[in-house]
Amino acid sequence: CADQALYKAKQAGRNNYQFYNEMCLIDSEKELVSGIKKALEQNEFFIVYQPKYNLSTKEVNSVEALIRWDHPEKGLISPIDFISFAENHHLIIPITKWLLEQVCIQCKEWMELGYTPVPISVNISTKHFEEGTLVEDVKKILSKTGFDPTNLILEITESIMNKNEEQAIQTIHQLREMGIKIAIDDFGTGFSSLSYLIKLPIDLINLDKTFLDELTDKKNISLINSIVSLAHNLNLLVVAEGIETENQHQVLDQTGCDIGQGYFFSKPLMGTQLQRAFLDTKERNEN
Ligand code: C2E
Ligand code: MG
Ligand code: MG
Ligand code: MG
């Protein structure tokens, strides 16, 4: 396909990357590209919310927004099956902008109903960092919706450091100047983790679920202990991802880990379920 596409692109007088790229997509990829565009236009995406808990008080600390796709023919599609595709086909930025705006609108609604605001986290693709429009895009959505940036956490991954470290750090500084908090997601799956902890101006680290898979191993527990104390020395909070059992909860609490997320506490919930189960109204707080 590549040779043929390049030939046609040249013939057409447009040795243009985008054009060349589109010519090379196989039919199933073209279908997914148009499917995602259609999903955005026709509101096939929706958002679920998974609470994160303060491990010592067991109170809700924050809520993570996670995307889902309700495909008209294929049914429910997990983000694992379309996010990286979207990242590779220039579709992650429109998806993120849609999601962030929906989240801001939803939270404002909850506040207007009298619920006490809870910080909310949104996953941000490294592609968005590299594109250079993240700060501007976030600013626009915050000012359009009037959402309080101090209640927003952006989850990024270490891969933002793969290309342009300076630019990545600069972008994080700009976001934090706005009052936004930054978390490193899936921490420990990359290979330069410890040096990035020191370099990146962040607020939280999300310990990847793989750490929990071998909690019976004493060495693994001492690794978590060390990461937690390093993080605390750097003034960072530690979030454990994927807590599924009471035992994991207890072991992590003993390591000094601050926050936990996982099926043990709650699965991701629809907005209405979250509202009913976890958000405290002012009235309830006052009683
Ligand atoms: P993540 O950001 O690390 O999110 C945590 C994932 O772990 C979620 O999967 C959540 O449902 C799952 N999880 C939480 N607790 C447990 C547990 O106790 N056990 C197990 N086995 N899993 C648990 P989900 O929603 O399928 O999302 C997968 C990944 O897709 C996310 O990982 C994130 O990287 C990406 N993603 C999801 N929504 C978005 C989005 O709106 N934008 C972007 N860029 N990425 C997203
Ligand atoms: Mg996340
Ligand atoms: Mg995570
Ligand atoms: Mg993860």
Side-chain angles (χ1 to χ4, degrees):
C1 161
D3 286 347
Q4 200 189 349
L6 188 58
Y7 174 74
K8 283 192 185 160
K10 277 185 175 155
Q11 282 238 308
R14 289 174 58 193
N15 194 2
N16 165 309
Y17 177 72
Q18 181 77 24
F19 183 60
Y20 170 72
N21 222 9
E22 271 169 29
M23 299 275 301
C24 281
L25 295 186
I26 55 172
D27 285 349
S28 62
E29 290 175 328
K30 279 184 193 156
E31 200 184 305
L32 192 48
V33 167
S34 56
I36 292 175
K37 287 180 182 164
K38 180 173 155 271
L40 276 170
E41 282 160 16
Q42 315 214 335
N43 277 317
E44 292 169 14
F45 291 123
F46 65 98
I47 303 167
V48 288
Y49 298 88
Q50 189 176 23
K52 302 194 187 195
Y53 289 77
N54 181 317
L55 287 182
S56 47
T57 65
K58 293 194 178 170
E59 277 167 12
V60 176
N61 163 273
S62 57
V63 171
E64 179 171 11
L66 296 158
I67 198 166
R68 297 288 180 268
W69 184 359
D70 184 12
H71 192 286
E73 285 123 40
K74 295 177 185 142
L76 195 63
I77 305 181
S78 147
I80 298 163
D81 297 321
F82 67 88
I83 288 291
S84 73
F85 180 87
E87 287 177 328
N88 293 328
H89 293 86
H90 307 281
L91 292 165
I92 193 64
I93 295 181
I95 290 177
T96 307
K97 283 160 73 174
W98 172 84
L99 180 126
L100 184 60
E101 183 168 337
Q102 295 304 307
V103 165
C104 291
I105 293 170
Q106 175 68 85
C107 290
K108 287 276 286 187
E109 261 176 43
W110 282 329
M111 274 178 67
E112 277 157 20
L113 286 170
Y115 293 98
T116 312
V118 164
I120 190 126
S121 66
V122 168
N123 294 284
I124 298 293
S125 162
T126 288
K127 286 274 170 10
H128 210 149
F129 260 77
E130 290 168 1
E131 202 58 44
T133 61
L134 181 62
V135 174
E136 184 191 324
D137 290 343
V138 171
K139 256 191 196 150
K140 269 192 198 149
I141 293 167
L142 291 180
S143 78
K144 184 175 169 188
T145 58
F147 188 81
D148 173 6
T150 60
N151 274 326
L152 182 63
I153 303 164
L154 298 183
E155 301 195 1
I156 60 179
T157 65
E158 296 162 50
S159 66
I160 58 154
M161 297 292 269
N162 288 353
K163 285 198 178 149
N164 189 338
E165 287 196 7
E166 295 274 302
Q167 190 200 327
I169 292 172
Q170 182 61 28
T171 303
I172 296 179
H173 275 302
Q174 285 174 291
L175 294 166
R176 290 183 84 222
E177 273 162 23
M178 293 161 65
I180 296 168
K181 292 186 184 67
I182 306 291
I184 295 284
D185 212 354
D186 306 327
F187 181 81
T189 54
F191 53 85
S192 300
S193 303
L194 290 185
S195 68
Y196 288 165
L197 267 197
I198 294 161
K199 275 188 196 168
L200 286 168
I202 53 170
D203 303 281
L204 304 121
I205 59 173
N206 300 349
L207 275 190
D208 194 75
K209 184 181 176 332
T210 49
F211 281 100
L212 299 201
D213 294 339
E214 286 154 61
L215 267 193
T216 42
D217 184 345
K218 281 221 172 72
K219 281 188 191 155
N220 228 344
I221 297 178
S222 45
L223 181 59
I224 297 176
N225 273 320
S226 313
I227 295 176
V228 170
S229 60
L230 174 61
H232 286 171
N233 280 330
L234 295 167
N235 267 325
L236 309 175
L237 293 176
V238 183
V239 184
E241 303 195 300
I243 300 182
E244 291 178 348
T245 65
E246 169 69 49
N247 179 54
Q248 289 174 332
H249 169 229
Q250 275 173 8
V251 173
L252 276 156
D253 193 19
Q254 280 156 18
T255 64
C257 181
D258 307 281
I259 298 159
Q261 177 188 42
Y263 299 164
F264 172 68
F265 297 110
S266 169
K267 291 206 164 180
L269 303 170
M270 297 295 290
T272 46
Q273 293 174 302
L274 178 84
Q275 184 177 328
R276 244 179 283 129
F278 297 105
L279 298 177
D280 264 327
T281 65
K282 286 199 185 98
E283 276 163 45
R284 254 161 66 195
N285 284 344
E286 279 157 14
N287 288 335

